[in-house]
Amino acid sequence: MSVEDNTREIEEGVVTDLRERMTYGGYLGLDTLLASQHPKSSPEHHDELLFIIQHQTTELWLKLVIHELDDARRLLASDDLGAALKRIARVKHIQEVLTQQWSVLATLTPTEYAQFRGSLASASGFQSAQYRQVEFALGNKHARMLQVFESNPADHAALEAELHRPSLYDEFLRLLARRGHDVPAELLERDVTKAHVYTEALVPVFQKIYEDAGRPDVDEDWRAYEACEELVDLEDNFQFWRFRHLRTVTRTIGMKTGTGGSSGVDFLKRALELTFFPELYVVRTRIEE
């Protein structure tokens, strides 16, 4: 480093002639990626770029979440619980990034957003096909949601395929059954196009897994115990994300209706009542002291 001009010299081995070579920008498709922000406000409002990039990066992370949940289910179906937990752990870290990301959008004041909100017309995060795929993959199935995507055949097909695929919870319960846990037969044979609903008979299964894990004299299934806690982490993280979404929307538009026609804040509040793995929360009340 030159003290005089405060610069760092390029090392001799660094490739600088990039003709006919794979480049950083080429590998990442940056020409396309960085040219994909198209503000609609006229004149263009300074803060609309923030709004667009916030949601585009969310969609990129959701693409990776779907990728990881797809493979986690494949691994569960092939009894490779350890590798499946690695995929789930990655999803948890992505969820943390997505939640923290709301703080950037929260720098957008009501006045700033109001100046370009009309440019969104009927566009809304409610229409995110990837978000719906993630919800479906975690078990919050809703067949009527496919109507929103009838105008986009690719999105509709992807969501319909997800509707008919076992959720992460379905695959986990099937794995537990194969390991000798007394999972109710109706859950193993259920219609996977429907959302999972609380099943009281499943709670004793989890109660045994948790209580056995705390007893040194029992041949416990530690991987099953670990998986239960990982699923609880997933749901907690999802709820944190929903809550941060709710609070960001509240501070930005107050009680206005959503651009897609929803009731806005009230609609988001109701989402907080949805749960993916209810028995894993109920069991905490049942564990013996």
Side-chain angles (χ1 to χ4, degrees), residues 15 22 30 39 42 45 67 84 95 111 120 122 130 156 175 180 182 207 212-213 223 255:
V15 177
M22 174 63 74
L30 292 182
S42 181
H45 191 278
H67 178 69
Q95 288 177 307
T111 303
L120 275 66
S122 59
Q130 290 197 127
H156 188 276
L175 178 142
D182 193 20
Q207 184 172 351
D212 285 355
R223 277 298 195 187
M255 302 305 291

Side-chain angles (χ1 to χ4, degrees), residues 1-9:
M1 180 175 180
S2 170
V3 176
E4 289 77 15
D5 59 11
N6 197 32
T7 60
R8 181 178 60 175
E9 295 297 329

Side-chain angles (χ1 to χ4, degrees), residues 168-185:
L168 185 70
Y169 202 36
D170 289 324
E171 292 292 9
F172 177 53
L173 295 180
R174 292 174 183 185
L175 178 142
L176 289 181
R178 292 193 297 272
R179 288 190 169 199
H181 295 279
D182 193 20
V183 177

Side-chain angles (χ1 to χ4, degrees), residues 59 66 125-134 149 155 159:
E59 291 296 330
I66 292 166
F126 178 82
Q127 300 152 12
S128 170
Q130 290 197 127
Y131 173 79
R132 297 302 166 192
Q133 281 181 254
V134 171
F149 305 98
D155 285 347
L159 199 57

